[in-house]
Amino acid sequence: MTEQVYQVDLHPEGGATVTEEPVHTAPEEPKQQRASRRQKAVQEEPAKRQLLIAPGLAALGLITVVVVIMTLMSYAQLVMVNDEVFDARSELRGLQTEESKLMAQYELAYDLQEIETQMLSSGQMIKIQSWQTYTLELAEPDSVEYYQSNKLSEKIKALASGLMDSLREYF
């Protein structure tokens, strides 16, 4: 079977050339053959798609499984840490109650009033009188001056020298 095809060429000078070209076409196939070939193409196309989709689905499934497993492992670790925190808090409460008991025992073991009376009676400690004032000068090495006197004149001299020292420090 042949068809007639015409080709038209336009010239720049203002003319046109028409040529006739014969075109040969293949004889038409019967409708059944065309339909069977289409069915084969349709059957082959999903198989090709399945091959292309299957690796993607497998990778997606694998990633999903990995994420679920990691989430479960993280949740298990969170539960373990939460248990450890709970144990540590309960141990802390126990230690705080034990501390308060031990502090009470410590305070009972040392009676400060008894220690003061014992030290005063032995002479190792004296009660400071209201007129006694001690000035510590931190610029020089530490030293202690001990005045033991019961005379009023010596007490007045000590008070005057202390007053003079205070005035010198101030100015």
Side-chain angles (χ1 to χ4, degrees):
M1 187 171 177
T2 59
E3 294 181 5
Q4 295 294 330
V5 176
Y6 296 95
Q7 182 177 359
V8 178
D9 292 325
L10 296 174
H11 299 292
E13 302 95 34
T17 310
V18 178
T19 56
E20 184 180 331
E21 295 181 7
V23 175
H24 296 285
T25 59
E28 285 191 24
E29 296 181 55
K31 288 184 180 181
Q32 281 183 330
Q33 286 181 351
R34 276 189 268 159
S36 66
R37 198 172 339 139
R38 284 185 195 151
Q39 286 177 351
K40 286 180 185 177
V42 168
Q43 288 173 356
E44 290 175 4
E45 188 174 318
K48 288 179 183 178
R49 284 186 186 168
Q50 280 182 343
L51 291 176
L52 295 176
I53 293 173
L57 285 177
L60 183 64
L62 182 63
I63 290 171
T64 305
V65 168
V66 168
V67 167
V68 167
I69 288 173
M70 289 178 64
T71 303
L72 290 175
M73 289 175 61
S74 297
Y75 183 74
Q77 287 176 348
L78 178 65
V79 168
M80 289 172 37
V81 168
N82 193 18
D83 288 342
E84 289 175 10
V85 167
F86 180 77
D87 292 341
R89 283 186 181 163
S90 62
E91 184 179 346
L92 178 65
R93 281 189 216 108
L95 289 173
Q96 285 173 341
T97 56
E98 186 178 344
E99 176 197 17
S100 62
K101 288 178 185 176
L102 289 174
M103 289 297 288
Q105 287 177 358
Y106 178 77
E107 289 173 1
L108 290 175
Y110 297 104
D111 186 15
L112 295 179
Q113 295 294 332
E114 184 181 321
I115 293 172
E116 182 180 358
T117 56
Q118 184 181 10
M119 296 300 280
L120 285 173
S121 65
S122 69
Q124 294 177 342
M125 184 171 85
I126 60 168
K127 280 199 171 205
I128 296 177
Q129 303 299 319
S130 61
W131 57 269
Q132 292 175 319
T133 304
Y134 292 102
T135 304
L136 297 176
E137 188 171 330
L138 300 176
E140 297 177 8
D142 291 340
S143 64
V144 175
E145 294 180 24
Y146 180 70
Y147 299 103
Q148 186 173 7
S149 172
N150 291 332
K151 296 181 182 177
L152 182 61
S153 63
E154 290 180 13
K155 289 180 184 179
I156 293 174
K157 285 181 186 177
L159 181 62
S161 67
L163 184 61
M164 293 301 284
D165 290 339
S166 297
L167 286 174
R168 272 188 254 142
E169 282 183 24
Y170 183 74
F171 294 108

